[in-house]
Amino acid sequence: MLFRLLFSLVVLMLHAPAAAGGLAGGGNAIQPELVAEGSARPGQPLDLAIVMHTTPGWHGYWQNPGEAGLAMRVDWQLPPGVTAAPLRYPVPNRLLLSGIVNYVYEKDYALLVRLTVPAGASGILPIRAKAQWLACTEEVCVPEHGTIALDLPVGDGAPVLRDRFDEWRRALPRPLATTGRFALDAGTLHLALPLPASVTIGEPYFFPGENGPIDLAAPQGFRRQGDWLIADLKRKRGAPPRLTGVLALGDGRGLSFEAVPGAVPSGGQTVGEVGMRAVLLALLGALVGGMLLNLMPCVFPILAIKALHLARSGGDERQARREALGYAAGAILGTGALGGLLLAIRAGGSAAGWAFQLQDPRTLLLLLLLAAAITLNLLGQLRLPVIGGETNPSGSIATGALAAFVATPCAGPFLGAALGTALLLPALGSVAVFAVLGLGLALPFVAVAFIPALRTRLPRPGVWMVRFQRFLAIPMAATAVGCLWLLYRLAGTQGLLVGLVAVGLLTLLLVVFGKRQGFGWLALTGVAAIALAGALLVPPRALSAAQPPLGSAAWSEAAVASASASHPAFVYFTADWCLTCKANEVAAIDRDEVRAAFRKAEVRVFSGDWTAGDPAITRFLEKQGRAGVPLYLWYEPGKAPEELPQILTQGMLIERAARLR
């Protein structure tokens, strides 16, 4: 309290001459606007909103500003008989500056107030108020003030701003009907709130209504025990007779509550932390999922080429093991680096998931050129140093890294839960899961190199190897065609033309150098120039509209919640670059039998297209513990959604629809 008082006095002394000037031009950094939901009806309550329009880089404060700051003060000047209830604040955000915890709003926000209008009101009601608030940046704070005014007509008109007010009301914390309990020990305040186990929680945080009882800067621990959510909070001082505040659930939702002294359950499952069993399952899932990625059409040719190298070498043990270790090192470094980059992007505030690089047209162009070059290599038009040269450690490492790069379009079987868990772990644990994915990718080749019984079973060199290599060009060429399609989906016709021209120039360059049996610095310079020019010419992503199968509606949480309240619903998340997704759509979802079963059972179908990395879908996937697609959910009224396997069959969908009839 003393710190806050000193802070307030310093702010007022330093900035009193600029009390109405938060910006250089003399205007307030945060501009208030008073609006009403509609006309005032005699004898009926009406919601008003003080909309705080915030200049970028500035922030305002919650009712409890934290360790520093000032809450908003409003002195109402109302007509006789008209009363205003206390301000209602939306769920705030936590801001840490120089070790000081603040509870703030960094974007536009609205404070709601319930106005009571007397039964005999008529005409125009002049609503006036003098308001004072504090606007701050990371460097400076300015106390601001102003007058807000509204001439409110009395009548029976419909609320004209209902949609806007509904949005602002959704941002308010929902009151818990049941009182919570808290208990104190030497250093901890244990707070228990009644919260059904079915309520999903992301990253909870307790915003205290008053300062004093808990240390705001200390970490907060949460655990679930049945239908109780328990917060373990570091004590600061005092023994309050009651405790109020807001529990943020981590996705914009919040619950306001009041708690009194009482018994708090012990034990329970920790919230927001992943247990050792889940970590081990994530590592195992990453290992098995990485092995299965070798069956993808873009990865299998690379693995097959490495096996052909072993066959050509005549089974030499030292050479085979050296090449396998280099390949494994490249794959581990490749997936680990991609995982680290993903974590860095997410730490910067962006919503990103696995295969994030395939949502950028420039990366797709690079992958297209790689697929085209590998296809030419398989057709015998040239010999790429990375996958077609003599055995050497650097070539093997580069091959493993290349396999890791082209293997990421899908979170295939076992990978969905593993990568979702990885994003909940500390940074080192997350990178470890991604690195184990690379180990799984390299494991089949390592097994062949280190197990003599497998290595000796490799076929003897012969003409068949040339034919098999030509055959491998088919799936790699299909990968290149898929990249062209994705380029068109993300960057439109211009992106497609740039991709075709780049592939044409690359083919001409590589064939010429391939016939000359030389792939030196001149060729590499030409390839780099083509890739750089293509990346500069590819336009920013502008996803073209796609017609989802089954006549499904576009996914949104609100639409699914509305439909599933009265009808069964099937929700699937897909992306054009996800091979598992497309295989499931062809084999199980987009089938006449499934359509018929869904029509009979009145199943509503929603699809979420994650091709361009829709942030709303990314956030929803995270809430489901997933880092990527595919994800399939089955909803029935009154029940929690059921997550379906990542490999679908028609029978799964038809059987669920049939049991509803």
Side-chain angles (χ1 to χ4, degrees):
M1 180 63 73
L2 179 61
F3 179 84
R4 289 183 59 199
L5 180 60
L6 291 174
F7 173 84
S8 304
L9 290 173
V10 170
V11 167
L12 291 173
M13 287 188 296
L14 292 178
H15 300 288
L23 299 175
N28 286 332
I30 302 179
Q31 295 281 353
E33 177 190 10
L34 183 63
V35 296
E37 187 172 8
S39 302
R41 296 186 178 185
Q44 298 291 324
L46 174 70
D47 274 343
L48 304 182
I50 304 175
V51 185
M52 307 296 284
H53 300 283
T54 306
T55 302
W58 294 76
H59 59 261
Y61 289 88
W62 187 49
Q63 61 193 45
N64 174 11
E67 294 181 311
L70 295 171
M72 187 174 188
R73 289 180 53 189
V74 179
D75 296 323
W76 294 100
Q77 300 163 11
L78 303 173
V82 178
T83 59
L87 297 176
R88 291 180 289 163
Y89 286 76
V91 179
N93 298 309
R94 182 173 47 141
L95 180 65
L96 183 64
L97 293 176
S98 302
I100 299 173
V101 177
N102 300 284
Y103 299 146
V104 304
Y105 304 102
E106 299 179 273
K107 298 180 180 179
D108 291 359
Y109 59 101
L111 310 177
L112 298 190
V113 58
R114 181 65 53 84
L115 204 68
T116 301
V117 180
S122 62
I124 299 294
L125 299 177
I127 309 298
R128 305 288 185 268
K130 293 181 178 179
Q132 300 177 19
W133 63 95
L134 187 66
C136 293
T137 68
E138 293 187 5
E139 293 82 21
V140 65
C141 285
V142 178
E144 299 181 339
H145 63 77
T147 299
I148 51 178
L150 175 68
D151 291 326
L152 184 63
V154 178
D156 295 327
V160 294
L161 295 180
R162 173 164 290 173
D163 290 343
R164 290 185 68 190
F165 272 78
D166 284 344
E167 182 179 349
W168 292 328
R169 279 188 280 261
R170 282 192 290 269
L172 299 176
R174 305 293 189 269
L176 273 177
T178 306
T179 302
R181 305 196 295 255
F182 68 91
L184 306 173
D185 60 25
T188 307
L189 186 152
H190 305 281
L191 171 65
L193 299 178
L195 191 67
S198 59
V199 176
T200 58
I201 298 177
E203 297 181 8
Y205 187 84
F206 167 58
F207 292 94
E210 297 178 352
N211 287 344
I214 70 168
D215 185 346
L216 303 187
Q220 299 184 358
F222 292 86
R223 48 194 168 92
R224 296 296 295 262
Q225 179 65 279
D227 288 332
W228 289 92
L229 176 70
I230 301 100
D232 299 311
L233 311 166
K234 183 179 179 181
R235 287 186 64 183
K236 191 171 184 180
R237 61 176 178 269
R242 69 185 187 101
L243 199 64
T244 62
V246 167
L247 175 71
L249 300 180
D251 55 359
R253 298 176 299 153
L255 301 170
S256 61
F257 65 88
E258 179 176 337
V260 296
V264 173
S266 60
Q269 183 177 1
T270 302
V271 174
E273 295 183 4
V274 182
M276 183 55 64
R277 182 174 181 271
V279 173
L280 293 176
L281 288 176
L283 293 172
L284 180 61
L287 184 69
V288 177
M291 294 173 61
L292 293 178
L293 283 178
N294 285 288
L295 301 178
M296 295 291 181
C298 48
V299 181
F300 178 71
I302 298 176
L303 178 65
I305 289 173
K306 301 303 293 181
L308 290 176
H309 281 185
L310 290 185
R312 288 195 186 99
S313 70
D316 180 81
E317 183 174 349
R318 289 186 58 191
Q319 179 178 323
R321 292 184 175 182
R322 186 167 56 246
E323 190 163 353
L325 289 175
Y327 181 78
I332 293 171
L333 289 173
T335 55
L338 285 171
L341 181 58
L342 171 60
L343 295 176
I345 292 173
R346 291 166 61 86
S350 298
W354 187 243
F356 64 94
Q357 69 276 17
L358 298 180
Q359 296 160 357
D360 187 324
R362 295 163 297 183
T363 308
L364 274 174
L365 179 69
L366 177 59
L367 188 57
L368 168 64
L369 296 178
L370 281 172
I374 296 173
T375 302
L376 292 172
N377 180 84
L378 294 171
L379 291 174
Q381 298 300 313
L382 71 150
R383 195 176 187 183
L384 289 177
V386 173
I387 61 174
E390 297 300 326
T391 301
N392 60 76
S394 61
S396 297
I397 292 174
T399 307
L402 174 64
F405 178 70
V406 300
T408 56
C410 268
F414 300 99
L415 281 182
L419 298 182
T421 302
L423 296 180
L424 300 177
L425 297 173
L428 279 178
S430 297
V431 173
V433 174
F434 290 117
V436 169
L437 168 61
L439 176 62
L441 186 66
L443 201 56
F445 185 62
V446 173
V448 171
F450 277 81
I451 301 176
L454 293 177
R455 193 170 61 255
T456 55
R457 290 179 179 272
L458 290 174
R460 296 180 179 275
V463 179
W464 70 270
M465 299 176 67
V466 177
R467 295 173 180 169
F468 183 60
Q469 186 166 308
R470 302 294 185 270
F471 172 77
L472 293 176
I474 297 175
M476 190 53 68
T479 300
V481 172
C483 290
L484 275 173
W485 164 245
L486 287 174
L487 204 56
Y488 169 70
R489 287 275 285 119
L490 288 176
T493 304
Q494 183 179 341
L496 176 63
L497 291 176
V498 170
L500 289 171
V501 172
V503 168
L505 292 175
L506 180 73
T507 301
L508 180 62
L509 176 69
L510 295 184
V511 169
V512 168
F513 278 93
K515 289 183 177 180
R516 294 181 179 180
Q517 299 300 314
F519 199 90
W521 286 107
L522 187 59
L524 290 175
T525 302
V527 171
I530 293 172
L532 179 60
L536 293 174
L537 292 173
V538 168
R541 67 184 185 190
L543 186 65
S544 57
Q547 294 298 324
L550 285 172
S552 60
W555 172 87
S556 74
E557 284 195 79
V560 172
S562 176
S564 61
S566 56
H567 291 83
F570 172 61
V571 178
Y572 66 98
F573 296 91
T574 182
D576 284 351
W577 37 261
C578 173
L579 298 178
T580 305
C581 304
K582 295 307 170 187
N584 282 332
E585 288 163 27
V586 171
I589 300 176
D590 192 15
R591 309 291 295 185
D592 292 338
E593 298 87 345
V594 175
R595 291 193 188 95
F598 279 10
R599 280 196 300 270
K600 289 181 181 178
E602 297 185 352
V603 176
R604 303 292 190 262
V605 181
F606 296 87
S607 65
D609 190 343
W610 202 47
T611 302
D614 185 340
I617 294 178
T618 303
R619 289 189 292 269
F620 184 81
L621 292 174
E622 290 172 359
K623 286 197 296 183
Q624 304 301 314
R626 290 291 178 265
V629 291
L631 175 65
Y632 306 105
L633 298 173
W634 181 267
Y635 292 78
E636 293 182 18
K639 296 182 180 180
E642 175 191 4
E643 182 177 328
L644 304 183
Q646 291 188 345
I647 302 298
L648 288 181
T649 64
Q650 296 183 56
M652 292 179 190
L653 301 177
I654 294 174
E655 183 241 338
R656 283 166 176 76
R659 73 188 183 196
L660 298 170
R661 296 200 297 269

